[in-house]
Amino acid sequence: MSTSQRKIEHLQLCATSPVESRKKGAGFDDIVLVHRALPEISMDEIDLSVEFLGNELKAPFMIASITGGHPGTTAINAALAGAVEELGLGIGVGSQRAAIEDPAQEESFRIVRDMAPSAFVYGNIGAAQIQEYGIEGIEELIEMIDADAMAIHLNFLQEAIQPEGDRDASGALESIREICRLKVPIIVKETGAGISQEDARLLKDAGVAAIDVGGVGGTSWAGVEVYRAREREDIISELLGELFWDFGIPTVPSIIECNALLPVIATGGVRTGLDIAKCLALGSSLASAALPFVEPAMKGKKEVKENISRILGELKVAMFLSGCGDIKKLHSTPTVITGWTKEYIELRGFDAKEFALRSEKSDFQIV
Ligand SMILES: Cc1cc2nc3c(=O)[nH]c(=O)nc-3n(C[C@H](O)[C@H](O)[C@H](O)COP(=O)(O)O)c2cc1C
């Protein structure tokens, strides 16, 4: 099956089947923002703007990499990018591999920059493709959409389950290190299994500019592969996908694993503005989401914009009730970590009390 065909199949599957994490959530239920009964700020004056990798965004939220690479995805990308442009946010394109294999597919990616000339737009390719296409090939992908940054995705969980998957992960770090010489910042993103402190350290040393944790809690690519396996009656892959459906580090602990090392984008199960507020309180610079925009984008720009506006309205309420007038304040608001997440982060050497007891005077700073 061609990459282009696989892309459209993934999109349709995600729009019609339950593909989210089943047993474990992202960890948001374990996080409590300390309520301020006396917020002493005006909700209408809350400032959501942020700077990320030298770019101004009107709010700390992006549409994560979703699609491109098939003629059927051009209108979807146009709807996503148009909404992001009007709201002053950021957007990632889906893997540009299909455009390398077939230049006729380039238009489905270029449309993103056409519709979002002033937004923060990032490109996307898998770590394995850097080795395959070389640094010049990646430069072409950046030029294709005049990208402000390039995301290298890691999805070895999915590769391990799909029969056509690439199971050789050796040399991935070295190729990421090489690509960090390029003129645009490099973001390394997981796609639903999270990133550990150990890997964040390796990525920082390699010269990566930011990490998208892509944790467990939202779209499960093992889950997507279960449906594809069922379709072709491949019992072995189906069982493997079922077993690893929820494998990995949930989004919330993954933010905590990475945030002292590099700027973090929190992705994986982010569904509300309250989720975004929690991600930022835990130290991520931005949050992003993919799955919630698949269906709206199939309808049009208006639906995508309405969805994002609702989420940003929720973020404002969360900030109001925590007494945070701007994003800087949100980064240092007292935040209580409970339950499974507390157990996990403490066993990994982090101190939950540091989050719970911080105050305006605390020197907690995001990287
Ligand atoms: C339909 C669909 C296609 C995706 N394609 C890509 C892709 O090409 N490259 C990539 O890095 N991530 C891709 N992702 C992963 C997302 O960027 C994101 O990391 C993941 O879905 C978790 O976020 P969510 O729970 O909000 O969906 C895709 C997600 C969806 C739903």
Side-chain angles (χ1 to χ4, degrees):
M1 180 185 287
S2 71
T3 305
S4 173
Q5 194 53 40
R6 195 162 61 237
K7 287 283 130 185
I8 199 82
E9 197 177 293
H10 282 159
L11 196 66
Q12 280 155 357
L13 236 163
C14 288
T16 53
S17 312
V19 291
E20 292 185 278
S21 147
R22 296 188 300 204
K23 292 182 203 137
K24 248 190 270 169
F28 295 119
D29 289 347
D30 287 341
I31 305 302
V32 180
L33 296 177
V34 175
H35 175 233
R36 296 299 301 268
L38 284 170
E40 286 292 327
I41 53 169
S42 161
M43 196 171 123
D44 291 340
E45 284 168 22
I46 289 175
D47 177 9
L48 296 182
S49 65
V50 277
E51 202 226 279
F52 182 66
L53 302 180
N55 299 267
E56 299 288 331
L57 276 75
K58 288 206 177 121
F61 188 61
M62 302 197 288
I63 294 183
S65 306
I66 298 180
T67 201
H70 185 282
T73 64
T74 307
I76 291 170
N77 267 343
L80 295 168
V84 159
E85 176 71 14
E86 286 178 22
L87 294 167
L89 306 176
I91 181 168
V93 299
S95 169
Q96 291 166 271
R97 183 181 183 177
I100 307 183
E101 290 176 4
D102 174 11
Q105 309 304 338
E106 283 184 17
E107 182 50 26
S108 63
F109 295 102
R110 285 191 205 280
I111 189 81
V112 171
R113 182 47 94 194
D114 294 347
M115 297 302 291
S118 64
F120 174 72
V121 174
Y122 61 91
N124 189 295
I125 198 72
Q129 279 79 58
I130 309 177
Q131 284 160 307
E132 204 174 324
Y133 301 111
I135 209 156
E136 295 78 18
I138 308 305
E139 271 176 324
E140 281 173 30
L141 300 182
I142 293 167
E143 276 166 31
M144 189 187 296
I145 55 166
D146 188 18
D148 297 299
M150 188 71 194
I152 308 301
H153 70 250
L154 304 175
N155 67 332
F156 290 110
L157 193 159
Q158 184 185 18
E159 300 286 355
I161 290 166
Q162 61 184 1
E164 67 270 43
D166 180 357
R167 289 121 196 248
D168 184 3
S170 44
L173 180 64
E174 200 41 50
S175 55
I176 289 170
R177 190 190 311 280
E178 240 184 81
I179 211 166
C180 286
R181 289 183 301 158
L182 288 175
K183 59 183 188 304
V184 301
I186 300 299
I187 300 168
V188 168
K189 78 186 282 290
E190 238 295 337
T191 47
I195 294 185
S196 66
Q197 178 179 200
E198 289 82 352
D199 287 334
R201 202 166 286 124
L202 293 174
L203 294 170
K204 182 186 164 112
D205 292 346
V208 165
I211 284 177
D212 178 336
V213 296
V216 177
T219 307
S220 161
W221 287 95
V224 170
E225 292 306 325
V226 165
Y227 294 106
R228 296 183 67 221
R230 235 175 248 165
E231 189 86 348
R232 53 173 197 276
E233 295 177 14
D234 171 356
I235 302 286
I236 301 287
S237 301
E238 185 182 339
L239 288 175
L240 201 56
E242 288 281 358
L243 183 64
F244 286 89
W245 191 297
D246 292 280
F247 184 89
I249 310 169
T251 300
V252 166
S254 192
I255 296 169
I256 296 168
E257 295 241 3
C258 300
N259 73 23
L261 294 159
L262 282 168
V264 164
I265 304 167
T267 313
V270 174
R271 300 292 177 257
T272 69
L274 181 55
D275 295 343
I276 301 176
K278 290 177 180 179
C279 292
L280 270 71
L282 293 170
S284 63
S285 301
L286 300 178
S288 75
L291 192 66
F293 301 109
V294 171
E295 261 194 271
M298 287 173 169
K299 295 180 185 145
K301 178 176 79 177
K302 183 171 149 280
E303 285 74 6
V304 177
K305 208 176 151 189
E306 279 169 5
N307 251 277
I308 301 178
S309 300
R310 171 187 55 79
I311 291 172
L312 296 184
E314 294 162 353
L315 171 60
K316 269 198 179 172
V317 174
M319 288 174 66
F320 180 52
L321 298 177
S322 328
C324 299
D326 57 33
I327 299 301
K328 191 162 175 274
K329 189 92 190 288
L330 184 55
H331 286 314
S332 59
T333 199
T335 306
V336 181
I337 304 169
T338 69
W340 186 92
T341 304
K342 176 172 183 282
E343 195 180 334
Y344 175 97
I345 64 154
E346 288 188 343
L347 288 168
R348 292 282 291 158
F350 300 94
D351 186 1
K353 275 202 177 146
E354 265 181 32
F355 292 88
L357 299 179
R358 64 196 184 192
S359 68
E360 277 136 59
K361 286 174 235 85
S362 82
D363 56 4
F364 178 84
Q365 276 186 345
I366 64 156
V367 193

Coordinates of all heavy atoms in Angstrom, one line a residue, residues 35-67:
H35 N -7.7 26.4 43.5 CA -8.7 27.4 43.2 C -8.4 28.7 44.0 O -8.1 28.6 45.2 CB -10.1 26.8 43.6 CG -11.2 27.8 43.5 ND1 -12.1 28.1 44.5 CD2 -11.5 28.6 42.5 CE1 -12.9 29.0 44.1 NE2 -12.6 29.4 42.9
R36 N -8.6 29.8 43.4 CA -8.5 31.1 44.1 C -9.9 31.7 44.1 O -10.4 32.2 43.1 CB -7.6 32.0 43.4 CG -6.1 31.5 43.3 CD -5.5 31.4 44.7 NE -5.5 32.6 45.5 CZ -4.4 33.4 45.5 NH1 -3.3 33.1 44.8 NH2 -4.5 34.5 46.2
A37 N -10.5 31.7 45.3 CA -11.8 32.3 45.5 C -11.8 33.8 45.3 O -12.8 34.4 45.1 CB -12.4 31.9 46.9
L38 N -10.6 34.3 45.5 CA -10.4 35.8 45.3 C -9.4 36.0 44.2 O -8.2 36.3 44.4 CB -9.8 36.4 46.6 CG -10.8 36.6 47.7 CD1 -10.0 37.0 49.0 CD2 -11.8 37.7 47.4
P39 N -9.8 35.7 42.9 CA -8.8 35.8 41.9 C -8.1 37.2 41.7 O -7.0 37.3 41.3 CB -9.5 35.4 40.6 CG -10.8 34.9 41.0 CD -11.1 35.4 42.4
E40 N -8.9 38.2 42.0 CA -8.4 39.6 41.9 C -7.9 40.0 40.5 O -6.9 40.8 40.4 CB -7.3 39.9 43.0 CG -7.8 40.0 44.4 CD -8.6 41.2 44.7 OE1 -8.4 42.3 44.1 OE2 -9.6 41.1 45.5
I41 N -8.5 39.4 39.5 CA -8.2 39.8 38.1 C -9.5 39.9 37.4 O -10.5 39.3 37.8 CB -7.2 38.8 37.4 CG1 -7.8 37.4 37.5 CG2 -5.8 38.9 37.9 CD1 -7.0 36.4 36.6
S42 N -9.5 40.5 36.2 CA -10.7 40.6 35.4 C -10.6 39.5 34.3 O -9.5 39.5 33.6 CB -10.9 41.9 34.7 OG -11.7 41.8 33.6
M43 N -11.6 38.6 34.2 CA -11.5 37.5 33.2 C -11.3 38.1 31.7 O -10.6 37.5 30.9 CB -12.7 36.6 33.2 CG -12.5 35.3 32.5 SD -13.8 34.2 32.8 CE -14.3 33.9 31.1
D44 N -11.9 39.3 31.5 CA -11.8 39.8 30.2 C -10.4 40.4 29.8 O -10.1 40.6 28.7 CB -12.9 41.0 30.0 CG -14.3 40.5 30.0 OD1 -14.4 39.3 29.7 OD2 -15.2 41.2 30.3
E45 N -9.6 40.5 30.8 CA -8.3 41.1 30.6 C -7.2 40.0 30.6 O -6.0 40.4 30.5 CB -8.0 42.2 31.6 CG -8.7 43.5 31.3 CD -8.7 44.5 32.4 OE1 -7.8 44.4 33.3 OE2 -9.6 45.3 32.5
I46 N -7.6 38.8 30.7 CA -6.6 37.7 30.7 C -5.9 37.7 29.3 O -6.5 37.7 28.3 CB -7.2 36.3 31.0 CG1 -7.7 36.3 32.5 CG2 -6.3 35.2 30.7 CD1 -8.4 35.1 32.9
D47 N -4.5 37.6 29.4 CA -3.7 37.7 28.2 C -3.2 36.2 27.9 O -2.4 35.7 28.7 CB -2.5 38.6 28.4 CG -1.6 38.7 27.3 OD1 -1.9 38.1 26.2 OD2 -0.5 39.3 27.4
L48 N -3.6 35.7 26.8 CA -3.2 34.3 26.5 C -2.0 34.2 25.6 O -1.5 33.1 25.3 CB -4.4 33.6 25.7 CG -5.7 33.3 26.4 CD1 -6.6 32.6 25.5 CD2 -5.5 32.6 27.7
S49 N -1.4 35.4 25.2 CA -0.4 35.3 24.2 C 0.9 34.7 24.8 O 1.2 34.8 26.0 CB -0.1 36.7 23.7 OG 0.4 37.5 24.7
V50 N 1.7 34.1 23.9 CA 2.9 33.4 24.3 C 4.0 33.6 23.1 O 3.6 33.8 22.0 CB 2.8 31.9 24.5 CG1 2.3 31.6 25.8 CG2 2.0 31.2 23.4
E51 N 5.2 33.4 23.5 CA 6.3 33.4 22.5 C 6.8 31.9 22.5 O 7.0 31.3 23.5 CB 7.4 34.3 22.9 CG 8.3 34.7 21.7 CD 9.7 34.7 22.1 OE1 10.2 35.6 22.7 OE2 10.3 33.6 21.7
F52 N 7.0 31.4 21.3 CA 7.5 30.0 21.2 C 8.5 29.9 20.1 O 8.1 30.2 18.9 CB 6.3 29.0 21.0 CG 6.8 27.6 21.0 CD1 7.3 27.0 22.1 CD2 6.7 26.8 19.8 CE1 7.7 25.7 22.1 CE2 7.1 25.5 19.8 CZ 7.6 24.9 20.9
L53 N 9.7 29.5 20.4 CA 10.8 29.4 19.4 C 10.9 30.7 18.5 O 11.0 30.6 17.3 CB 10.6 28.2 18.5 CG 10.5 26.8 19.2 CD1 10.3 25.7 18.2 CD2 11.8 26.5 20.0
G54 N 10.7 31.8 19.2 CA 10.9 33.1 18.5 C 9.6 33.6 17.8 O 9.7 34.5 17.0
N55 N 8.5 32.8 17.9 CA 7.3 33.2 17.2 C 6.2 33.6 18.2 O 6.1 33.0 19.3 CB 6.7 32.0 16.4 CG 7.7 31.6 15.3 OD1 7.7 32.0 14.2 ND2 8.7 30.7 15.7
E56 N 5.4 34.6 17.8 CA 4.3 35.1 18.7 C 3.1 34.3 18.4 O 2.7 34.2 17.2 CB 4.0 36.6 18.4 CG 5.2 37.5 18.7 CD 5.5 37.6 20.2 OE1 4.5 37.5 21.0 OE2 6.6 37.9 20.6
L57 N 2.4 33.7 19.4 CA 1.1 33.0 19.2 C 0.1 33.7 20.1 O 0.4 34.1 21.2 CB 1.2 31.6 19.6 CG 1.8 30.6 18.5 CD1 3.3 30.7 18.4 CD2 1.4 29.1 19.0
K58 N -1.1 33.9 19.6 CA -2.1 34.6 20.4 C -2.6 33.7 21.6 O -3.3 34.2 22.5 CB -3.3 35.0 19.5 CG -2.9 36.1 18.6 CD -4.1 37.0 18.2 CE -3.7 38.1 17.3 NZ -4.3 38.1 16.0
A59 N -2.3 32.4 21.6 CA -2.7 31.6 22.7 C -1.8 30.4 22.6 O -1.2 30.0 21.6 CB -4.1 31.1 22.6
P60 N -1.6 29.7 23.8 CA -0.6 28.6 23.9 C -1.1 27.3 23.3 O -1.1 26.3 24.0 CB -0.3 28.5 25.4 CG -1.6 28.9 26.0 CD -2.2 29.9 25.1
F61 N -1.6 27.3 22.1 CA -2.3 26.1 21.5 C -2.0 26.0 20.0 O -2.0 26.9 19.3 CB -3.8 26.2 21.8 CG -4.5 24.9 21.5 CD1 -4.2 23.7 22.1 CD2 -5.5 24.9 20.5 CE1 -4.9 22.5 21.8 CE2 -6.2 23.7 20.2 CZ -5.8 22.5 20.8
M62 N -1.8 24.7 19.6 CA -1.6 24.4 18.2 C -2.5 23.2 17.8 O -2.9 22.4 18.6 CB -0.2 24.1 17.9 CG 0.8 25.2 18.4 SD 2.4 25.0 17.6 CE 3.0 23.5 18.4
I63 N -2.7 23.2 16.5 CA -3.2 21.9 15.9 C -2.0 21.0 15.6 O -1.1 21.4 14.8 CB -4.1 22.2 14.6 CG1 -5.3 23.0 15.0 CG2 -4.5 20.8 14.0 CD1 -6.3 23.2 13.9
A64 N -2.0 19.8 16.2 CA -0.8 18.9 16.0 C -0.9 18.4 14.6 O -1.9 18.4 13.9 CB -0.9 17.8 17.0
S65 N 0.2 17.8 14.2 CA 0.3 17.2 12.8 C -0.8 16.2 12.6 O -1.0 15.3 13.4 CB 1.6 16.4 12.7 OG 2.7 17.2 13.1
I66 N -1.5 16.4 11.5 CA -2.6 15.4 11.2 C -2.4 14.9 9.8 O -2.3 13.6 9.6 CB -4.0 16.1 11.3 CG1 -4.3 16.6 12.8 CG2 -5.1 15.1 10.9 CD1 -5.6 17.2 13.0
T67 N -2.4 15.7 8.8 CA -2.6 15.1 7.5 C -1.9 15.8 6.3 O -1.2 16.8 6.5 CB -4.0 14.8 7.2 OG1 -4.2 13.8 6.2 CG2 -4.8 16.1 6.8

